[in-house]
Amino acid sequence: MLGRLLLSRGYHSTKGVFGNRPRPSSRYEGISAAVLEKRNTNSNVYRWVEAYRTHGHRIATIDPVKFQPTEPQNFNQLPELQYARYGLTAADRIDPTGLINVPPQQQPLSMAELDQLLARMYCGTCSIELGFIESEEEREWLAERYEHLFQQEPTANERREIAELMLKSQAFDQFLAVKFPTVKRYGGEGAESMMAFYWELFRCAGDANLSNIVIGMPHRGKLNVLTTLFGTRPAKIFKKFKGYPEFPADAQAMCDIASHFHTSTDVTVGGKTFHLNMLHNPSHLEAVNPVSMGKARAKQLAHADGPYDVRQGEDAYHRSKVLNVQVHGDAAFPGQGINQECLMMANVPHYEVEGTIHLIVNNQVGFTTPAERGRSTRYVSDLAKAIMAPVVHVNADDPEALASVTKLAVEYRQKFGKDFFIDLNCFRRWGHNELDDPTMTNPLLYKVIHARKSIPDVYAGKLIDAGLFDQADVDAISKSHQNYLTAELQAYEQYEPERTYFDKQWSGLQQPSDEVTVWNTGVDYRLLSHIGRESVKLPEGFNVHPHLQKTHIDARLKRLAEGQRIDWATAEALAIGSLMYQGYNVRLSGEDVGRGTFSQRHAMLVDQQTNEIFIPLNAMAADNPNTGRFEVANSILSEEAVLGFEYGMAIDNPNNLVLWEAQFGDFFNGAQIIIDTFLVSGETKWMICNGLVMLLPHGYDGAASEHSSCRMERFLQMTDSRETSPDGDTVNLQIINPSTPAQYFHALRRQMIRNFRKPMVVVAPKTLLRLSDCVSPHSDFAPGTHFQPVLGDPEAGDRVDPKRVRRVVLCSGKHYYTLQAERKSRQVSDVALVRLESLCPFPVQAVRDELAKYPNAREFVWSQEEHRNMGAWTFVQPRFENMCERRIQYRGRPEAATVAVGVSQWHVKEAEEVIKTTLY
């Protein structure tokens, strides 16, 4: 385990921080002296055995439709596997004990017998790759357990169960082909062996006492397993195919295609029950994988399991009872970068799920692309080598081997807490979606496919030959399942969609009404002051950085004592701490979020002498066990997989506030697939709510195009906000641009206090983090206070006489302070500044109320620092004019192809022009 120890040493507490459970040191004692002696004495034989373990996969018969050779057909033709190369002869006889895992031998084996045994293990219908794994303990364990598989035979009843599931899968596809010939079903034909994978997985889950299995799976064969194994009624699928919605009539949903369906159900196998979640997936390949990881980790959090198990001592360490399973496509797995991102999270603190089992359904063609053009590696699974995860390649014609390998995968995961890959070499009998003709682009491959029997028929034939089945049994299974499907099709009109949402941990929540509600999110300042002090309280002997002692700890304590100038970072700590005090868990994730990109947060402190990490807010739990916990998750340099992970955590439990902070606002674009297909559309497609918060630092500071803008215009375009009638809380996405620390405080608390959950984009500050004017008094946090969608002009009635105002300027966020500074310095008294803190939902009534304060105003202006084709202008204009019944003018930068200029003098000139045209 040396590789793991080197990676995790140093930058995390050996005592453990919330969400990171240090693993106990390995108790591996090495190879026994007797075995070493045996191997040394027979070193040439052992080198030959190791050659099979290293190279056998190259010529294994794992391809059920091989039509062009890539390696010698005879294993004797592979030089590394010829025993003569190691100084051995046909006359040698070998006692394999200690060299290979076989039953005790009565007499030594001949070279021919040993050669045949090794070839069966490593060059047959399944073969393992071990050579790249650094850990000797893992290699030895894997070799022993893998070789042990060949000494076991499934029982007759087990074989019949596997065959029955595969025949049902085939019957399902054949039924759909007849009854729904024009529907894209993404069937399992050619990959029916995956039934054996799930069959064995469920049996192992019971043996391992797992509590939850969370599965991320694409389209291929999904409907087959849902209806055959996972308890989904075919009538639900058929009703969808007939053009009806999958939700009750009162659900505010636009629905989705059947191949994106999910399930959440209890499964009982062998008297043991576990909960199964198969997640909704979009059509974007592999995007569901990090979501499944996040969902699995959220289950671990809910059960104080795995990384959240706080029991102390090596004897108290237990492997997680929550298992993540990911099913991949063969072209998608090496082709989609999100998979590398997921693998790079696999062993990272706060993102690990203690091992994922991966099944690659290897069709050997991607849409129309032949395998050799879909990647630059030998195998589709070669990414697994980056994290030293074992890989077993299996021929889909041997479902028994697949079941055995699945058992090995679960045992490995339970022992080592690491990922395991199964590369299931199969084929796709028809085109990509059964309506496509694959012979146009892959004629030779499909000549072989169409000439051979189906996988269920091949396996059933083997059982018939073995006397376990006869043809009448096979026909009866298929006929019985077809009769069942026929009955379900006839019953589809009577089928009433289930209400699968707002249940269990989501009970008490709801879809909101079509109005904007106000929620009291204020807190007594005495409690807030206590929380603020706790947020910088250090344990005795902790060596804090001297600069932080002065600028962070001492400065915060001073601000709290005065109570008049609470800054942004302090307000954030108060919001998080107060939610924890009410029992909510908070997770903050992203690149360098512990410190904060702008060195403002310091929620996580590092001892300058020991590198030990301390998160002060979590110390509050020592006084009250009902206090929530704060998980600070410094992520890998990834956006798509990390945001998908956080979305997975957010959809599991409404009592967890999940925040993802981009290092700079525009970094979100690396996660656009997750935003489009999950975050902003998941509720309307799937009735899956989430309260995830995206913090996107934004502001034009003369730093050129990149990192100036969070592209709020893109998020505004993705909302379902209305242009001609007022929005309600029903909008799919909240977008706010808060301009004070108190507003940010209330917005975060509101996410959890409300009786519904909606994702929120915070156009977050950069320069405002330290701007002396951007502070809030304690009164803005008091009970009875709340987030205000519009902030009126604080100088109205003072320097600005409402009756003399000729122009009302609407703006948002940081831009207000620039305009206010200029207005103050030039003593402009006839221009009012009104801030839109909430962009979506658009605060029509609050804007009207502000406009009513200026009865003589004749000019209404929207001012922004962004270019005209960016920012909020195109969103604000139609809503303001349609619902406030006034024309509004634009003041800001002109249209541009890039966010900002790259010349500082141009930037200053542009900024001055925006201010000038806005105020004068």
Side-chain angles (χ1 to χ4, degrees):
M1 304 293 285
L2 182 60
R4 175 187 294 278
L5 292 174
L6 287 176
L7 283 172
S8 62
R9 185 182 64 196
Y11 194 55
H12 249 288
S13 175
T14 56
K15 302 170 185 174
V17 294
F18 183 69
N20 178 53
R21 176 177 61 162
R23 298 192 180 191
S25 57
S26 172
R27 296 180 180 179
Y28 177 60
E29 297 178 356
I31 302 170
S32 70
V35 170
L36 284 175
E37 175 64 24
K38 182 73 173 181
R39 292 177 181 179
N40 290 333
T41 303
N42 298 275
S43 58
N44 287 355
V45 179
Y46 186 65
R47 288 169 58 212
W48 179 49
V49 170
E50 285 289 284
Y52 261 101
R53 291 171 175 166
T54 303
H55 301 288
H57 62 87
R58 292 165 52 188
I59 56 171
T61 55
I62 57 174
D63 190 348
V65 290
K66 194 168 187 176
F67 69 97
Q68 51 185 9
T70 56
E71 293 284 0
Q73 294 300 293
N74 191 317
F75 63 85
N76 287 324
Q77 295 174 349
L78 195 64
E80 293 88 344
L81 304 186
Q82 297 178 31
Y83 55 75
R85 186 172 187 171
Y86 304 94
L88 304 170
T89 68
D92 292 329
R93 298 187 67 80
I94 305 297
D95 176 4
T97 306
L99 306 177
I100 186 172
N101 183 30
V102 295
Q105 299 294 316
Q106 300 298 318
Q107 56 186 2
L109 298 176
S110 68
M111 292 306 298
E113 290 172 328
L114 188 54
D115 204 3
Q116 185 179 22
L117 177 61
L118 288 168
R120 184 166 69 91
M121 291 177 171
Y122 291 99
C123 304
T125 54
C126 70
S127 188
I128 192 169
E129 290 189 82
L130 294 171
F132 56 86
I133 297 176
E134 292 181 3
S135 167
E136 179 183 80
E137 179 185 13
E138 292 180 35
R139 288 197 313 274
E140 290 287 320
W141 186 91
L142 283 163
E144 178 183 354
R145 293 295 300 136
Y146 175 77
E147 291 163 2
H148 182 71
L149 298 179
F150 295 87
Q151 302 168 34
Q152 300 174 313
E153 292 287 341
T155 66
N157 189 55
E158 289 171 343
R159 287 175 166 173
R160 284 192 290 264
E161 287 182 8
I162 292 172
E164 183 175 349
L165 288 172
M166 293 171 61
L167 289 167
K168 286 182 176 180
S169 177
Q170 178 171 262
F172 179 81
D173 281 322
Q174 292 173 346
F175 184 86
L176 293 189
V178 172
K179 301 298 183 180
F180 300 94
T182 61
V183 172
K184 299 176 182 178
R185 64 181 186 274
Y186 304 99
E189 291 165 292
E192 293 95 342
S193 291
M194 74 169 74
M195 291 294 177
F197 167 79
Y198 286 113
W199 173 80
E200 184 62 43
L201 180 72
F202 289 177
R203 297 189 341 147
C204 292
D207 293 340
N209 289 317
L210 297 183
S211 62
N212 293 79
I213 297 180
V214 181
I215 301 174
M217 181 181 180
H219 302 48
R220 176 87 156 112
K222 187 173 187 180
L223 299 182
N224 302 61
V225 297
L226 280 173
T227 57
T228 306
L229 274 170
F230 295 177
T232 299
R233 282 193 60 186
K236 177 179 180 178
I237 309 298
F238 299 154
K239 190 157 191 169
K240 184 65 181 179
F241 283 169
K242 288 289 188 178
Y244 293 92
E246 62 269 28
F247 296 114
D250 61 344
Q252 299 172 24
M254 295 178 68
C255 304
D256 201 1
I257 62 173
S259 294
H260 296 171
F261 281 3
H262 91 305
T263 189
S264 176
T265 186
D266 288 334
V267 176
T268 300
V269 178
K272 301 288 185 66
T273 300
F274 59 88
H275 192 75
L276 173 71
N277 289 95
M278 175 178 278
L279 304 185
H280 292 286
N281 64 293
S283 289
H284 277 276
L285 302 172
E286 309 291 316
V288 74
N289 297 336
V291 179
S292 73
M293 294 173 69
K295 176 85 169 178
R297 187 167 175 103
K299 293 295 183 189
Q300 293 170 337
L301 173 59
H303 296 294
D305 171 67
Y308 301 100
D309 188 342
V310 297
R311 288 176 290 183
Q312 299 294 315
E314 293 190 5
D315 293 336
Y317 188 91
H318 298 276
R319 183 66 58 215
S320 172
K321 293 183 178 181
V322 180
L323 173 64
N324 178 226
V325 176
Q326 295 175 26
V327 182
H328 309 281
D330 56 315
F333 184 72
Q336 296 293 305
I338 194 171
N339 290 311
Q340 176 180 320
E341 296 180 26
C342 286
L343 292 179
M344 291 303 108
M345 291 194 297
N347 298 316
V348 171
H350 306 291
Y351 298 91
E352 67 168 349
V353 293
E354 296 203 350
T356 294
I357 293 177
H358 303 259
L359 175 69
I360 303 176
V361 180
N362 191 347
N363 299 316
Q364 306 186 74
V365 61
F367 197 17
T368 68
T369 304
E372 67 271 13
R373 298 189 184 184
R375 61 182 185 274
S376 296
T377 58
R378 174 188 291 272
Y379 296 119
V380 297
S381 57
D382 281 340
L383 279 178
K385 296 174 181 176
I387 60 169
M388 293 182 281
V391 179
V392 180
H393 308 280
V394 185
N395 189 320
D397 276 336
D398 192 350
E400 294 174 17
L402 176 59
S404 296
V405 170
T406 302
K407 183 177 182 181
L408 175 66
V410 176
E411 290 177 349
Y412 175 84
R413 187 267 183 180
Q414 290 303 102
K415 181 171 179 61
F416 295 102
K418 290 182 58 181
D419 290 33
F420 192 105
F421 279 79
I422 302 172
D423 172 21
L424 177 62
N425 287 259
C426 54
F427 56 90
R428 195 177 61 209
R429 181 161 288 280
W430 311 114
H432 174 65
N433 52 36
E434 295 84 34
L435 307 183
D436 185 65
D437 183 0
T439 63
M440 298 178 189
T441 50
N442 297 280
L444 297 183
L445 173 63
Y446 274 87
K447 184 177 181 181
V448 176
I449 291 174
H450 290 157
R452 58 155 289 159
K453 290 183 177 180
S454 72
I455 286 179
D457 288 346
V458 168
Y459 185 61
K462 291 179 180 179
L463 299 194
I464 291 172
D465 293 342
L468 300 177
F469 264 170
D470 56 34
Q471 189 60 49
D473 295 324
V474 174
D475 295 342
I477 291 171
S478 298
K479 182 64 175 176
S480 174
H481 200 58
Q482 287 186 359
N483 290 340
Y484 165 64
L485 296 174
T486 298
E488 284 288 291
L489 179 58
Q490 292 172 346
Y492 86 86
E493 290 183 337
Q494 288 74 45
Y495 171 79
E496 292 295 332
E498 313 100 298
R499 185 177 300 277
T500 58
Y501 40 90
F502 303 129
D503 190 19
K504 296 180 180 177
Q505 67 265 35
W506 287 82
S507 296
L509 278 84
Q510 60 189 37
Q511 284 190 297
S513 59
D514 197 12
E515 60 181 6
V516 176
T517 54
V518 175
W519 297 81
N520 178 6
T521 49
V523 179
D524 190 295
Y525 189 70
R526 290 171 295 179
L527 175 58
L528 291 181
S529 180
H530 167 72
I531 292 170
R533 293 192 299 273
E534 289 291 313
S535 73
V536 289
K537 186 178 179 181
L538 301 177
E540 186 176 351
F542 191 90
N543 301 287
V544 71
H545 193 289
H547 180 71
L548 293 185
Q549 181 66 52
K550 176 181 178 182
T551 63
H552 176 65
I553 297 175
D554 294 344
R556 176 168 295 182
L557 292 173
K558 182 179 179 181
R559 289 178 185 273
L560 290 167
E562 295 173 351
Q564 296 300 315
R565 300 181 59 80
I566 305 300
D567 65 347
W568 202 275
T570 302
E572 180 184 75
L574 299 181
I576 291 172
S578 60
L579 288 172
M580 293 169 60
Y581 196 84
Q582 290 177 255
Y584 297 105
N585 292 312
V586 180
R587 176 181 166 95
L588 174 63
S589 168
E591 296 146 16
D592 312 296
V593 293
R595 191 201 77 171
T597 297
F598 310 100
S599 195
Q600 85 284 3
R601 178 175 292 122
H602 301 290
M604 176 195 81
L605 297 170
V606 182
D607 189 295
Q608 298 299 295
Q609 295 184 15
T610 66
N611 245 20
E612 291 284 308
I613 284 178
F614 181 68
I615 299 173
L617 279 176
N618 278 330
M620 291 193 303
D623 299 326
N624 183 359
N626 295 321
T627 300
R629 304 301 295 273
F630 184 27
E631 183 170 14
V632 180
N634 282 335
S635 77
I636 65 171
L637 191 61
S638 153
E639 287 78 42
E640 185 177 7
V642 172
L643 183 58
F645 191 103
E646 304 311 328
Y647 173 82
M649 292 207 70
I651 61 174
D652 184 70
N653 195 315
N655 293 322
N656 300 330
L657 175 61
V658 180
L659 306 106
W660 177 74
E661 182 175 69
Q663 197 164 65
F664 287 94
D666 56 346
F667 276 29
F668 82 87
N669 55 26
Q672 194 68 60
I673 289 174
I674 301 297
I675 294 168
D676 289 350
T677 60
F678 289 102
L679 191 71
V680 305
S681 61
E683 182 176 355
T684 189
K685 289 190 297 187
W686 308 319
M687 291 298 292
I688 297 292
C689 299
N690 81 93
L692 188 143
V693 177
M694 293 176 61
L695 305 175
L696 305 180
H698 172 92
Y700 283 39
D701 305 314
S705 184
E706 279 68 54
H707 311 337
S708 290
S709 173
C710 75
R711 290 288 194 174
M712 72 177 80
E713 64 274 6
R714 296 184 184 175
F715 291 99
L716 291 168
Q717 186 182 39
M718 284 188 282
T719 70
D720 56 1
S721 168
R722 299 182 293 255
E723 289 189 1
T724 57
S725 60
D727 292 330
D729 289 332
T730 54
V731 292
N732 66 319
L733 181 67
Q734 309 161 89
I735 302 172
I736 66 171
N737 191 1
S739 61
T740 74
Q743 285 282 83
Y744 179 49
F745 167 88
H746 289 298
L748 292 183
R749 285 187 47 77
R750 186 181 64 170
Q751 282 295 96
M752 307 305 290
I753 300 302
R754 296 189 293 198
N755 62 353
F756 62 90
R757 296 289 178 265
K758 291 284 183 176
M760 180 170 70
V761 171
V762 178
V763 180
K766 295 188 291 185
T767 57
L768 295 191
L769 295 171
R770 291 182 175 81
L771 185 68
S772 60
D773 288 340
C774 185
V775 291
S776 297
H778 68 82
S779 57
D780 285 355
F781 301 85
T785 57
H786 56 85
F787 178 81
Q788 301 182 62
V790 173
L791 289 180
D793 195 328
E795 297 198 357
D798 186 8
R799 292 190 179 94
V800 176
D801 183 353
K803 294 181 179 180
R804 297 184 56 220
V805 167
R806 61 180 175 84
R807 177 182 295 177
V808 176
V809 174
L810 282 75
C811 60
S812 190
K814 160 185 176 285
H815 191 49
Y816 162 78
Y817 291 94
T818 305
L819 295 174
Q820 165 64 359
E822 179 71 10
R823 184 178 68 167
K824 183 177 181 180
S825 67
R826 297 296 183 94
Q827 298 183 347
V828 177
S829 61
D830 57 355
V831 175
L833 300 178
V834 176
R835 284 169 276 178
L836 265 63
E837 302 284 288
S838 170
L839 295 169
C840 182
F842 187 75
V844 175
Q845 189 57 50
V847 171
R848 287 174 173 170
D849 292 344
E850 285 301 316
L851 297 182
K853 297 176 181 178
Y854 307 101
N856 298 317
R858 294 295 178 265
E859 293 182 331
F860 303 93
V861 168
W862 173 259
S863 182
Q864 64 180 40
E865 59 179 353
E866 299 86 6
H867 290 277
R868 186 171 186 141
N869 57 322
M870 305 170 199
W873 163 244
T874 56
F875 183 85
V876 169
Q877 183 197 18
R879 288 162 178 79
F880 183 88
E881 294 186 349
N882 291 335
M883 291 180 282
C884 296
E885 300 175 330
R886 294 169 171 84
R887 291 290 183 183
I888 190 168
Q889 304 173 45
Y890 171 78
R891 298 292 187 271
R893 289 174 167 83
E895 294 85 348
T898 187
V899 166
V901 296
V903 178
S904 59
Q905 291 183 352
W906 298 352
H907 167 77
V908 171
K909 185 176 180 180
E910 285 182 348
E912 290 174 348
E913 183 67 16
V914 170
I915 296 170
K916 178 181 177 181
T917 57
T918 297
L919 295 177
Y920 312 123

